[in-house]
PDB file of all heavy atoms in Angstrom:
ATOM      1  N   GLY A   1     -47.644  19.152  30.160  1.00 66.00           N
ATOM      2  CA  GLY A   1     -48.243  18.517  28.939  1.00 66.00           C
ATOM      3  C   GLY A   1     -47.683  19.248  27.757  1.00 66.00           C
ATOM      4  O   GLY A   1     -47.562  20.458  27.745  1.00 66.00           O
ATOM      5  N   TYR A   2     -47.364  18.453  26.700  1.00 65.00           N
ATOM      6  CA  TYR A   2     -46.819  19.059  25.507  1.00 65.00           C
ATOM      7  C   TYR A   2     -47.314  18.344  24.328  1.00 65.00           C
ATOM      8  O   TYR A   2     -47.507  17.126  24.322  1.00 65.00           O
ATOM      9  CB  TYR A   2     -45.269  18.910  25.577  1.00 65.00           C
ATOM     10  CG  TYR A   2     -44.540  19.499  24.368  1.00 65.00           C
ATOM     11  CD1 TYR A   2     -44.320  20.863  24.345  1.00 65.00           C
ATOM     12  CD2 TYR A   2     -44.091  18.761  23.353  1.00 65.00           C
ATOM     13  CE1 TYR A   2     -43.750  21.461  23.257  1.00 65.00           C
ATOM     14  CE2 TYR A   2     -43.502  19.329  22.244  1.00 65.00           C
ATOM     15  CZ  TYR A   2     -43.303  20.658  22.210  1.00 65.00           C
ATOM     16  OH  TYR A   2     -42.672  21.234  21.111  1.00 65.00           O
ATOM     17  N   GLY A   3     -47.726  19.150  23.332  1.00 60.00           N
ATOM     18  CA  GLY A   3     -48.264  18.515  22.075  1.00 60.00           C
ATOM     19  C   GLY A   3     -47.339  18.711  20.962  1.00 60.00           C
ATOM     20  O   GLY A   3     -46.536  19.599  20.863  1.00 60.00           O
ATOM     21  N   HIS A   4     -47.435  17.718  19.994  1.00 60.00           N
ATOM     22  CA  HIS A   4     -46.693  17.716  18.753  1.00 60.00           C
ATOM     23  C   HIS A   4     -47.620  17.856  17.631  1.00 60.00           C
ATOM     24  O   HIS A   4     -48.797  17.956  17.874  1.00 60.00           O
ATOM     25  CB  HIS A   4     -45.837  16.367  18.684  1.00 60.00           C
ATOM     26  CG  HIS A   4     -44.907  16.181  19.806  1.00 60.00           C
ATOM     27  ND1 HIS A   4     -43.676  16.785  19.815  1.00 60.00           N
ATOM     28  CD2 HIS A   4     -44.915  15.437  20.912  1.00 60.00           C
ATOM     29  CE1 HIS A   4     -42.984  16.388  20.884  1.00 60.00           C
ATOM     30  NE2 HIS A   4     -43.768  15.607  21.603  1.00 60.00           N
ATOM     31  N   SER A   5     -47.131  17.884  16.411  1.00 65.00           N
ATOM     32  CA  SER A   5     -48.028  17.963  15.284  1.00 65.00           C
ATOM     33  C   SER A   5     -48.886  16.785  15.205  1.00 65.00           C
ATOM     34  O   SER A   5     -48.566  15.755  15.818  1.00 65.00           O
ATOM     35  CB  SER A   5     -47.215  18.078  13.995  1.00 65.00           C
ATOM     36  OG  SER A   5     -46.571  16.764  13.735  1.00 65.00           O
ATOM     37  N   ARG A   6     -50.033  16.927  14.613  1.00 65.00           N
ATOM     38  CA  ARG A   6     -51.059  15.850  14.566  1.00 65.00           C
ATOM     39  C   ARG A   6     -50.454  14.620  13.857  1.00 65.00           C
ATOM     40  O   ARG A   6     -50.695  13.473  14.255  1.00 65.00           O
ATOM     41  CB  ARG A   6     -52.297  16.289  13.821  1.00 65.00           C
ATOM     42  CG  ARG A   6     -53.128  17.229  14.749  1.00 65.00           C
ATOM     43  CD  ARG A   6     -54.396  17.551  14.067  1.00 65.00           C
ATOM     44  NE  ARG A   6     -55.046  18.588  14.807  1.00 65.00           N
ATOM     45  CZ  ARG A   6     -56.310  18.752  14.831  1.00 65.00           C
ATOM     46  NH1 ARG A   6     -57.112  18.039  14.101  1.00 65.00           N
ATOM     47  NH2 ARG A   6     -56.875  19.719  15.513  1.00 65.00           N
ATOM     48  N   LEU A   7     -49.680  14.883  12.842  1.00 63.00           N
ATOM     49  CA  LEU A   7     -49.038  13.735  12.133  1.00 63.00           C
ATOM     50  C   LEU A   7     -48.111  12.926  13.001  1.00 63.00           C
ATOM     51  O   LEU A   7     -48.147  11.754  13.086  1.00 63.00           O
ATOM     52  CB  LEU A   7     -48.301  14.222  10.865  1.00 63.00           C
ATOM     53  CG  LEU A   7     -47.547  13.165  10.050  1.00 63.00           C
ATOM     54  CD1 LEU A   7     -48.513  12.105   9.544  1.00 63.00           C
ATOM     55  CD2 LEU A   7     -46.822  13.777   8.948  1.00 63.00           C
ATOM     56  N   GLN A   8     -47.266  13.691  13.733  1.00 57.00           N
ATOM     57  CA  GLN A   8     -46.284  13.040  14.676  1.00 57.00           C
ATOM     58  C   GLN A   8     -46.991  12.352  15.787  1.00 57.00           C
ATOM     59  O   GLN A   8     -46.651  11.154  16.116  1.00 57.00           O
ATOM     60  CB  GLN A   8     -45.346  14.050  15.180  1.00 57.00           C
ATOM     61  CG  GLN A   8     -44.222  13.503  16.109  1.00 57.00           C
ATOM     62  CD  GLN A   8     -43.260  14.526  16.610  1.00 57.00           C
ATOM     63  OE1 GLN A   8     -43.312  15.678  16.218  1.00 57.00           O
ATOM     64  NE2 GLN A   8     -42.395  14.130  17.474  1.00 57.00           N
ATOM     65  N   GLU A   9     -48.040  12.882  16.325  1.00 56.00           N
ATOM     66  CA  GLU A   9     -48.828  12.291  17.401  1.00 56.00           C
ATOM     67  C   GLU A   9     -49.489  11.018  16.865  1.00 56.00           C
ATOM     68  O   GLU A   9     -49.586   9.972  17.485  1.00 56.00           O
ATOM     69  CB  GLU A   9     -49.864  13.225  17.917  1.00 56.00           C
ATOM     70  CG  GLU A   9     -49.307  14.427  18.643  1.00 56.00           C
ATOM     71  CD  GLU A   9     -49.226  14.213  20.165  1.00 56.00           C
ATOM     72  OE1 GLU A   9     -49.874  13.328  20.769  1.00 56.00           O
ATOM     73  OE2 GLU A   9     -48.424  14.922  20.784  1.00 56.00           O
ATOM     74  N   THR A  10     -50.061  11.079  15.714  1.00 55.00           N
ATOM     75  CA  THR A  10     -50.749   9.902  15.039  1.00 55.00           C
ATOM     76  C   THR A  10     -49.749   8.739  14.795  1.00 55.00           C
ATOM     77  O   THR A  10     -49.955   7.582  15.081  1.00 55.00           O
ATOM     78  CB  THR A  10     -51.378  10.311  13.722  1.00 55.00           C
ATOM     79  OG1 THR A  10     -52.336  11.322  13.985  1.00 55.00           O
ATOM     80  CG2 THR A  10     -52.108   9.109  13.120  1.00 55.00           C
ATOM     81  N   LEU A  11     -48.589   9.097  14.252  1.00 51.00           N
ATOM     82  CA  LEU A  11     -47.608   8.069  13.928  1.00 51.00           C
ATOM     83  C   LEU A  11     -46.816   7.550  15.137  1.00 51.00           C
ATOM     84  O   LEU A  11     -46.634   6.341  15.290  1.00 51.00           O
ATOM     85  CB  LEU A  11     -46.584   8.559  12.957  1.00 51.00           C
ATOM     86  CG  LEU A  11     -47.093   8.889  11.535  1.00 51.00           C
ATOM     87  CD1 LEU A  11     -46.004   9.641  10.698  1.00 51.00           C
ATOM     88  CD2 LEU A  11     -47.650   7.703  10.877  1.00 51.00           C
ATOM     89  N   LEU A  12     -46.382   8.422  16.041  1.00 50.00           N
ATOM     90  CA  LEU A  12     -45.578   8.017  17.162  1.00 50.00           C
ATOM     91  C   LEU A  12     -46.232   8.043  18.475  1.00 50.00           C
ATOM     92  O   LEU A  12     -45.693   7.549  19.458  1.00 50.00           O
ATOM     93  CB  LEU A  12     -44.337   9.018  17.188  1.00 50.00           C
ATOM     94  CG  LEU A  12     -43.489   9.036  15.961  1.00 50.00           C
ATOM     95  CD1 LEU A  12     -42.398  10.168  16.062  1.00 50.00           C
ATOM     96  CD2 LEU A  12     -42.898   7.722  15.582  1.00 50.00           C
ATOM     97  N   GLY A  13     -47.419   8.611  18.576  1.00 54.00           N
ATOM     98  CA  GLY A  13     -48.135   8.713  19.843  1.00 54.00           C
ATOM     99  C   GLY A  13     -47.543   9.887  20.669  1.00 54.00           C
ATOM    100  O   GLY A  13     -46.759  10.600  20.213  1.00 54.00           O
ATOM    101  N   GLY A  14     -48.076  10.023  21.865  1.00 70.00           N
ATOM    102  CA  GLY A  14     -47.605  11.150  22.744  1.00 70.00           C
ATOM    103  C   GLY A  14     -47.882  10.781  24.185  1.00 70.00           C
ATOM    104  O   GLY A  14     -48.892  10.188  24.531  1.00 70.00           O
ATOM    105  N   VAL A  15     -46.957  11.195  25.113  1.00 73.00           N
ATOM    106  CA  VAL A  15     -47.038  10.895  26.502  1.00 73.00           C
ATOM    107  C   VAL A  15     -48.235  11.556  27.091  1.00 73.00           C
ATOM    108  O   VAL A  15     -48.972  10.945  27.871  1.00 73.00           O
ATOM    109  CB  VAL A  15     -45.775  11.318  27.197  1.00 73.00           C
ATOM    110  CG1 VAL A  15     -45.907  11.113  28.683  1.00 73.00           C
ATOM    111  CG2 VAL A  15     -44.569  10.514  26.717  1.00 73.00           C
ATOM    112  N   THR A  16     -48.493  12.871  26.757  1.00 76.00           N
ATOM    113  CA  THR A  16     -49.645  13.543  27.347  1.00 76.00           C
ATOM    114  C   THR A  16     -50.948  12.884  27.038  1.00 76.00           C
ATOM    115  O   THR A  16     -51.717  12.582  27.919  1.00 76.00           O
ATOM    116  CB  THR A  16     -49.637  15.025  26.766  1.00 76.00           C
ATOM    117  OG1 THR A  16     -48.433  15.643  27.008  1.00 76.00           O
ATOM    118  CG2 THR A  16     -50.811  15.781  27.430  1.00 76.00           C
ATOM    119  N   ARG A  17     -51.204  12.536  25.739  1.00 74.00           N
ATOM    120  CA  ARG A  17     -52.422  11.885  25.399  1.00 74.00           C
ATOM    121  C   ARG A  17     -52.442  10.523  26.078  1.00 74.00           C
ATOM    122  O   ARG A  17     -53.510  10.089  26.591  1.00 74.00           O
ATOM    123  CB  ARG A  17     -52.455  11.707  23.936  1.00 74.00           C
ATOM    124  CG  ARG A  17     -53.761  11.074  23.337  1.00 74.00           C
ATOM    125  CD  ARG A  17     -53.844  10.995  21.895  1.00 74.00           C
ATOM    126  NE  ARG A  17     -52.703  10.172  21.474  1.00 74.00           N
ATOM    127  CZ  ARG A  17     -52.363   9.969  20.160  1.00 74.00           C
ATOM    128  NH1 ARG A  17     -52.991  10.703  19.246  1.00 74.00           N
ATOM    129  NH2 ARG A  17     -51.382   9.251  19.769  1.00 74.00           N
ATOM    130  N   ASP A  18     -51.406   9.783  26.108  1.00 76.00           N
ATOM    131  CA  ASP A  18     -51.345   8.380  26.708  1.00 76.00           C
ATOM    132  C   ASP A  18     -51.714   8.528  28.170  1.00 76.00           C
ATOM    133  O   ASP A  18     -52.411   7.685  28.773  1.00 76.00           O
ATOM    134  CB  ASP A  18     -50.028   7.702  26.492  1.00 76.00           C
ATOM    135  CG  ASP A  18     -49.776   7.339  25.052  1.00 76.00           C
ATOM    136  OD1 ASP A  18     -50.786   7.367  24.245  1.00 76.00           O
ATOM    137  OD2 ASP A  18     -48.638   7.007  24.733  1.00 76.00           O
ATOM    138  N   MET A  19     -51.193   9.516  28.910  1.00 78.00           N
ATOM    139  CA  MET A  19     -51.425   9.710  30.298  1.00 78.00           C
ATOM    140  C   MET A  19     -52.900  10.015  30.544  1.00 78.00           C
ATOM    141  O   MET A  19     -53.473   9.472  31.479  1.00 78.00           O
ATOM    142  CB  MET A  19     -50.552  10.780  30.907  1.00 78.00           C
ATOM    143  CG  MET A  19     -49.125  10.424  31.133  1.00 78.00           C
ATOM    144  SD  MET A  19     -48.865   9.094  32.266  1.00 78.00           S
ATOM    145  CE  MET A  19     -49.367   9.781  33.802  1.00 78.00           C
ATOM    146  N   LEU A  20     -53.497  10.827  29.694  1.00 77.00           N
ATOM    147  CA  LEU A  20     -54.914  11.199  29.876  1.00 77.00           C
ATOM    148  C   LEU A  20     -55.803   9.976  29.606  1.00 77.00           C
ATOM    149  O   LEU A  20     -56.824   9.812  30.283  1.00 77.00           O
ATOM    150  CB  LEU A  20     -55.299  12.316  28.985  1.00 77.00           C
ATOM    151  CG  LEU A  20     -54.732  13.679  29.326  1.00 77.00           C
ATOM    152  CD1 LEU A  20     -54.965  14.627  28.242  1.00 77.00           C
ATOM    153  CD2 LEU A  20     -55.256  14.153  30.590  1.00 77.00           C
ATOM    154  N   ARG A  21     -55.383   9.052  28.778  1.00 79.00           N
ATOM    155  CA  ARG A  21     -56.175   7.852  28.469  1.00 79.00           C
ATOM    156  C   ARG A  21     -55.986   6.800  29.535  1.00 79.00           C
ATOM    157  O   ARG A  21     -56.932   5.970  29.703  1.00 79.00           O
ATOM    158  CB  ARG A  21     -55.710   7.251  27.148  1.00 79.00           C
ATOM    159  CG  ARG A  21     -56.215   8.052  25.944  1.00 79.00           C
ATOM    160  CD  ARG A  21     -55.841   7.342  24.685  1.00 79.00           C
ATOM    161  NE  ARG A  21     -56.317   8.118  23.587  1.00 79.00           N
ATOM    162  CZ  ARG A  21     -55.857   7.996  22.392  1.00 79.00           C
ATOM    163  NH1 ARG A  21     -54.908   7.146  22.088  1.00 79.00           N
ATOM    164  NH2 ARG A  21     -56.449   8.724  21.397  1.00 79.00           N
ATOM    165  N   ALA A  22     -54.902   6.661  30.224  1.00 79.00           N
ATOM    166  CA  ALA A  22     -54.682   5.522  31.087  1.00 79.00           C
ATOM    167  C   ALA A  22     -54.203   5.868  32.500  1.00 79.00           C
ATOM    168  O   ALA A  22     -53.599   5.066  33.135  1.00 79.00           O
ATOM    169  CB  ALA A  22     -53.622   4.694  30.398  1.00 79.00           C
ATOM    170  N   MET A  23     -54.454   7.129  32.966  1.00 80.00           N
ATOM    171  CA  MET A  23     -53.990   7.475  34.250  1.00 80.00           C
ATOM    172  C   MET A  23     -54.654   6.692  35.377  1.00 80.00           C
ATOM    173  O   MET A  23     -55.835   6.402  35.298  1.00 80.00           O
ATOM    174  CB  MET A  23     -54.102   8.935  34.550  1.00 80.00           C
ATOM    175  CG  MET A  23     -55.475   9.577  34.420  1.00 80.00           C
ATOM    176  SD  MET A  23     -55.421  11.295  34.518  1.00 80.00           S
ATOM    177  CE  MET A  23     -56.823  11.744  33.615  1.00 80.00           C
ATOM    178  N   THR A  24     -53.820   6.270  36.364  1.00 84.00           N
ATOM    179  CA  THR A  24     -54.358   5.436  37.436  1.00 84.00           C
ATOM    180  C   THR A  24     -54.225   6.186  38.793  1.00 84.00           C
ATOM    181  O   THR A  24     -54.578   5.699  39.808  1.00 84.00           O
ATOM    182  CB  THR A  24     -53.554   4.140  37.583  1.00 84.00           C
ATOM    183  OG1 THR A  24     -52.122   4.465  37.679  1.00 84.00           O
ATOM    184  CG2 THR A  24     -53.758   3.309  36.307  1.00 84.00           C
ATOM    185  N   VAL A  25     -53.716   7.416  38.678  1.00 86.00           N
ATOM    186  CA  VAL A  25     -53.598   8.284  39.816  1.00 86.00           C
ATOM    187  C   VAL A  25     -53.994   9.662  39.336  1.00 86.00           C
ATOM    188  O   VAL A  25     -53.876  10.013  38.150  1.00 86.00           O
ATOM    189  CB  VAL A  25     -52.137   8.283  40.324  1.00 86.00           C
ATOM    190  CG1 VAL A  25     -51.158   8.774  39.293  1.00 86.00           C
ATOM    191  CG2 VAL A  25     -52.002   9.032  41.591  1.00 86.00           C
TER     192      VAL A  25
END
């Protein structure tokens, strides 16, 4: 898991956050 700046995550999203929201496994 890797985090970016809040601005970058807000504008571009992030794989880590997306995985936590939509994991199916």
Side-chain angles (χ1 to χ4, degrees):
Y2 182 78
H4 298 281
S5 72
R6 288 185 187 204
L7 177 61
Q8 185 177 354
E9 294 266 341
T10 301
L11 294 175
L12 303 174
V15 175
T16 303
R17 183 178 61 189
D18 291 345
M19 285 299 293
L20 289 171
R21 285 185 178 159
M23 57 188 154
T24 57
V25 63

